[in-house]
Amino acid sequence: MRGPWKILIWLLAGALLGALLQSWHGMPPSSPLALEDAARVEGTTTAPGVRVAAAPARSRIAPGDVVHALVLERGLPTERRWPTPDVASYRAGIANARCGALVWHELARGALEPIALELDPRSSLATWIAPFAFVADLFLVLLKMLIVPIVLSSIIVGVIGVGTTASLKRLGLRTLAYYTATSALAIAIGLTLVNLIQPGRGAALGLPPSQRFAEVAQTSFAEVLLRIVPSNVFAALSDNASMLQVIFFALFFGICAMQVEAHHRETLQRFFTATFEVMMRLAGTLLRLIPYGIFCLLVKIVGTTGFAVFEPLAWYLVTVTAGILIHAAGVLPLLLRWIGRIRPAAYAKAVSPALVTAFSTSSSSLTLPVALEVVEKRGGVSNRVVSFVQPLGATVNMDGTALYECVGVIFLAQYYASIGGFELGLSTQLLVAYMALAASIGAAGIPYAGFVMMVMILSALRLPVEGAALLLVVDRPIDMLRTTTNIWSDCCGAAIIARFEGERPTGSI
Ligand code: ASP
């Protein structure tokens, strides 16, 4: 069994096992007591999106919930009650007699941080979940291992690739202009929708707050710009959180590499292409493990927090899908019509085999041979244009991926901002847009490549990658949509550029 079905089955199996583990060991029971206590202490108690007074129906707190209040240990001597100034730390916890999930958080005095409730590692449920959580964590660590070398080599290869075809310079510039413009449009759509719909605000994701992100989100634009430039390239390369700097260096390096003498440029191109190929092999091996990674992630997530965590993801899915539809069925056809003077429906019908292949394989690279064939034979674009635009587009031009990165990262950032009680500033959003563009250039044309890039953006923003793990669970259907959009944009690009070169692709008016 292959592709989406295999993943779906492992996904369902993981959810089922997680649910079974929970019911064997008993769901962490409701804890109205703790909510009341917390309300007394802080005045309001929020499990994500819930206020005690406003939502009396919410009578339980479960592991994974984030509470903005201390829950005092019963029976503490009064003098240790919060907020007595002479106590250095407080113990906050939710008593859960039934499955023994009792978690105590030592909190520094005065630091009323939101806390995420966890399963007690000694409880029997946690013991059962531990091996799955271990594999899930291992999987994420392996993904992180790939980030720096993949980003560095793929961006350099992408940039040098544009410049080396000297005879095709004009074509190259037009192609580049098209790629940048459509990806920027996709990102703008993503940004607009995610700000309108706000799927992440107050979502009950059950992820612990991130203090470091609060600092990042509040930095000014000037500081952000300064942070993009590395003072030491090798230090940047050795830190996943310095990805902005790695991208900056890779872009700069690629652009300058285009300008050195041909034999140097070719050496560099060969070296980085070879490195990239090896990295792709590594990634390919790892990505083959994705079904099992997803299985373990689901056992961990459903086993710990139940199914409630998937509800807020529905809005995330709606936002990404709406964005992709607007771009693929609205913006790109309009560009075809207005700039290329080509009838979109006729052209889409001509290249449809490529779109169907993209949808079913979730891989631009695998779709490339089909796309080359149909855009030339059925789409009526010359071999000269097709053989330049399509292969480059399959790795560099990824509108769907750019949009998805933007929505996914801002969705998580909104969540962290709302539980941390701060706003997501414009500079953070622009930073995400810039990184989404770079990620779409850097992402390889294989399934889940966009997801790997999302891990990279999250670590650059100092957001915990656990958020990405949550999104991974629903990533496959989105990958199918975004890959189709990626290929559709390449096909539209080929036709529009062909038109500028004086050709008449299928559907020309
Ligand atoms: N699967 C996508 C592609 O091949 C890349 C991504 O994961 O976004 O185009």
Side-chain angles (χ1 to χ4, degrees):
M1 203 182 318
R2 311 197 52 210
W5 290 112
K6 184 170 177 184
I7 289 171
L8 196 68
I9 286 173
W10 281 98
L11 193 148
L12 289 176
L16 200 68
L17 184 57
L20 279 177
L21 283 177
Q22 259 211 350
S23 61
W24 280 340
H25 293 272
M27 285 279 284
S30 55
S31 202
L33 194 64
L35 275 173
E36 278 166 22
D37 271 0
R40 253 205 321 276
V41 171
E42 212 208 359
T44 62
T45 303
T46 44
V50 181
R51 279 174 192 280
V52 176
R58 169 87 179 200
S59 58
R60 50 186 295 153
I61 316 182
D65 279 348
V66 177
V67 295
H68 286 253
L70 295 183
V71 181
L72 293 179
E73 184 182 11
R74 310 235 101 212
L76 275 178
T78 22
E79 67 274 15
R80 287 199 58 195
R81 288 216 151 205
W82 185 84
T84 44
D86 54 321
V87 182
S89 68
Y90 306 90
R91 310 185 83 196
I94 305 280
N96 181 343
R98 196 162 146 223
C99 66
L102 173 69
V103 164
W104 299 108
H105 290 270
E106 291 287 343
L107 297 180
R109 172 157 48 88
L112 193 60
E113 298 293 334
I115 51 171
L117 306 176
E118 298 153 25
L119 280 180
D120 184 341
R122 291 157 307 179
S123 68
S124 55
L125 179 57
T127 317
W128 273 94
I129 290 178
F132 299 98
F134 169 74
V135 177
D137 292 345
L138 185 65
F139 184 65
L140 286 177
V141 173
L142 282 167
L143 275 176
K144 286 205 236 173
M145 173 186 86
L146 299 181
I147 297 174
V148 172
I150 284 195
V151 169
L152 185 72
S153 55
S154 68
I155 293 188
I156 293 180
V157 169
V159 176
I160 302 186
V162 176
T164 42
T165 347
S167 63
L168 296 176
K169 199 156 190 186
R170 191 194 50 203
L171 199 59
L173 284 179
R174 282 184 176 155
T175 311
L176 212 57
Y178 172 84
Y179 289 169
T180 321
T182 51
S183 299
L185 281 171
I187 288 175
I189 294 172
L191 269 184
T192 313
L193 283 184
V194 78
N195 278 298
L196 282 178
I197 301 178
Q198 304 246 0
R201 182 165 283 271
L205 299 184
L207 298 166
S210 156
Q211 194 44 46
R212 293 200 324 181
F213 175 62
E215 291 153 25
V216 175
Q218 281 154 351
T219 44
S220 74
F221 198 55
E223 282 169 317
V224 167
L225 281 183
L226 277 180
R227 266 222 324 271
I228 290 178
V229 187
S231 59
N232 177 339
V233 175
F234 293 97
L237 290 175
S238 61
D239 180 6
N240 280 352
S242 300
M243 203 47 57
L244 280 175
Q245 308 184 347
V246 174
I247 293 171
F248 176 85
F249 176 72
L251 286 172
F252 208 176
F253 187 93
I255 292 169
C256 292
M258 277 157 61
Q259 294 161 6
V260 296
E261 281 173 38
H263 66 280
H264 290 319
R265 188 177 61 227
E266 279 150 21
T267 310
L268 284 172
Q269 191 172 19
R270 271 205 304 279
F271 172 76
F272 282 107
T273 310
T275 310
F276 181 61
E277 288 297 320
V278 175
M279 290 316 300
M280 286 299 51
R281 286 250 156 156
L282 272 170
T285 316
L286 185 55
L287 293 176
R288 242 178 277 143
L289 301 179
I290 271 208
Y292 319 112
I294 288 191
F295 172 75
C296 292
L297 271 169
L298 269 159
V299 176
K300 178 182 165 190
I301 295 171
V302 176
T304 313
T305 53
F307 285 105
V309 76
F310 295 110
E311 282 164 31
L313 291 184
W315 280 111
Y316 158 72
L317 285 172
V318 167
T319 315
V320 182
T321 312
I324 283 186
L325 284 181
I326 293 175
H327 188 69
V331 173
L332 291 175
L334 282 179
L335 290 180
L336 260 187
R337 180 106 208 174
W338 286 344
I339 304 182
R341 306 197 17 83
I342 294 165
R343 285 196 305 280
Y347 187 70
K349 190 160 168 239
V351 300
S352 58
L355 303 184
V356 175
T357 313
F359 187 78
S360 48
T361 60
S362 292
S363 164
S364 300
S365 301
L366 280 181
T367 311
L368 185 60
V370 184
L372 287 170
E373 173 89 2
V374 294
V375 174
E376 187 178 341
K377 300 267 162 59
R378 295 169 51 124
V381 178
S382 72
N383 181 271
R384 176 174 159 271
V385 172
V386 171
S387 62
F388 181 74
V389 177
Q390 293 288 147
L392 201 61
T395 42
V396 174
N397 181 40
M398 296 197 179
D399 297 0
T401 303
L403 191 148
Y404 147 85
E405 303 287 347
C406 208
V407 173
V409 172
I410 295 205
F411 166 73
L412 290 172
Q414 278 172 349
Y415 165 77
Y416 285 112
S418 71
I419 61 166
F422 53 86
E423 285 299 314
L424 201 57
L426 183 67
S427 51
T428 316
Q429 302 225 15
L430 290 178
L431 187 63
V432 173
Y434 160 78
M435 299 205 37
L437 184 65
S440 71
I441 296 175
I446 54 172
Y448 297 110
F451 171 76
V452 177
M453 287 294 157
M454 170 144 359
V455 175
M456 158 307 260
I457 301 185
L458 292 176
S459 30
L461 289 177
R462 298 173 186 275
L463 284 171
V465 293
E466 282 66 28
L470 204 59
L471 300 190
L472 175 61
V473 171
V474 291
D475 200 58
R476 185 67 189 211
I478 296 180
D479 201 358
M480 295 161 88
L481 288 178
R482 62 181 191 251
T483 309
T484 313
T485 311
N486 294 344
I487 289 289
W488 173 226
S489 174
D490 295 343
C491 296
C492 292
I496 292 175
I497 290 161
R499 210 59 173 125
F500 274 93
E501 301 280 316
E503 300 174 15
R504 287 187 63 78
T506 306
S508 294
I509 304 168

